[in-house]
Amino acid sequence: MMEFKSNKGIFQQIADSICERILLGELAPEDKVQSVRQLASQLGVNQNTIMRTFLELQHSNIVENRRGIGYFVTKDAPDTIREMRKEEFTKDILPGFLQQVKLLRITKTELEPLFNQLKENEDENK
């Protein structure tokens, strides 16, 4: 069962979780997503909450409803999610990060090994 936090609506947290699964490759483009009933039961939430999640994901072109069959991941979902998250990161997280770098007087030289480590991890996962 998912542990919900109070800073975001439950439907948004579920949508974030589905997006995370898509980015991790657990759900590939054209894969069928669990049904509303299955997901509601698994997460212990109301089916209306799951419907709201799917409507939000559908509105963002991350899933599509195939009438009578269910919801499926769109072919462009991974790219769409990355773009949305980059925008969110740039708007919501990066300014605070840069402010902390400035306040703590962290130099480019001090940050460089961290970015190099990210690059190494990225290369290993290819």
Side-chain angles (χ1 to χ4, degrees), residues 13-27 62 81 85:
Q13 292 177 60
I14 296 168
D16 288 347
S17 174
I18 292 170
C19 288
E20 190 85 15
R21 291 180 60 208
I22 292 168
L23 291 178
L24 290 170
E26 294 172 11
L27 283 172
I62 294 168
I81 295 165
R85 289 202 171 177

Side-chain angles (χ1 to χ4, degrees), residues 98-111:
L98 294 174
Q99 179 66 16
Q100 287 301 309
V101 167
K102 182 179 175 182
L103 289 173
L104 299 173
R105 296 183 184 150
I106 298 173
T107 66
K108 179 181 175 184
T109 305
E110 291 171 304
L111 287 174

Side-chain angles (χ1 to χ4, degrees), residues 13 82 125:
Q13 292 177 60
R82 279 189 199 93
N125 292 329

Side-chain angles (χ1 to χ4, degrees), residues 4 8-16 49-50 52-53 56:
F4 298 106
K8 277 187 175 181
I10 291 173
F11 81 95
Q12 185 60 55
Q13 292 177 60
I14 296 168
D16 288 347
T49 302
I50 301 300
R52 185 169 178 196
T53 298
E56 184 74 20

Side-chain angles (χ1 to χ4, degrees), residues 46-91:
N46 189 295
Q47 289 183 22
N48 291 332
T49 302
I50 301 300
M51 274 308 302
R52 185 169 178 196
T53 298
F54 283 148
L55 290 174
E56 184 74 20
L57 291 172
Q58 189 174 5
H59 178 74
S60 299
N61 296 315
I62 294 168
V63 300
E64 61 186 356
N65 185 5
R66 296 184 187 163
R67 200 171 183 97
I69 302 173
Y71 287 91
F72 290 78
V73 177
T74 63
K75 66 179 179 68
D76 295 328
D79 293 334
T80 301
I81 295 165
R82 279 189 199 93
E83 285 306 311
M84 288 170 43
R85 289 202 171 177
K86 281 180 187 178
E87 188 177 314
E88 184 180 310
F89 175 81
T90 303
K91 182 179 154 217

